[in-house]
Amino acid sequence: MPKDARPWTMITLAWLVAMAGTLGALFIGEVMGQMPCTLCWYQRIAMFPLVAILGIAAYRADAGAWRYALPLAAVGLTVASYHSLQYAGLLPTPIVPCQANGPSCSGAGMLIMGIPIPYLSTAAFAGITLLLLPLARKQS
């Protein structure tokens, strides 16, 4: 195995997770016709650019792309974790973005394979973060 194969593999896997998350979000919005809530919009803002950044990095075998992708993934993970805690009822808040000014993520139609969308988003961002962290540690 070539010396640079492991970073390329990690970036490619992170790109595949970002692509799956983006396609899932587009499927929910465009095919299922579900409008995203405010927190879902913030997560999309973090996820969509990751497809381009990680795709270009995988194509160029650029292990240094973690510098651009990891901050986006960390922000997305933070918002997604907050959203998941709200969804689970573990984080009470006076403002509930999912119901205050728009659609709710708690409806029955907001499950994919029986899993709530906020949990899927948290898993996707966590996966991307975990795939990129070893690259950051190796080059630091």
Side-chain angles (χ1 to χ4, degrees), residues 44 70 79 96 119 121 126:
R44 286 178 178 204
L70 193 56
V79 174
V96 183
Y119 297 168
S121 181

Side-chain angles (χ1 to χ4, degrees), residues 55-104:
I56 292 168
Y59 178 75
R60 296 183 65 211
D62 180 9
W66 66 268
R67 289 178 180 90
Y68 315 111
L70 193 56
L72 273 174
V75 167
L77 179 58
T78 302
V79 174
S81 298
Y82 176 78
H83 195 187
S84 293
L85 290 172
Q86 271 192 338
Y87 183 88
L90 299 174
L91 189 62
T93 179
I95 300 171
V96 183
C98 284
Q99 297 170 351
N101 295 325
S104 172

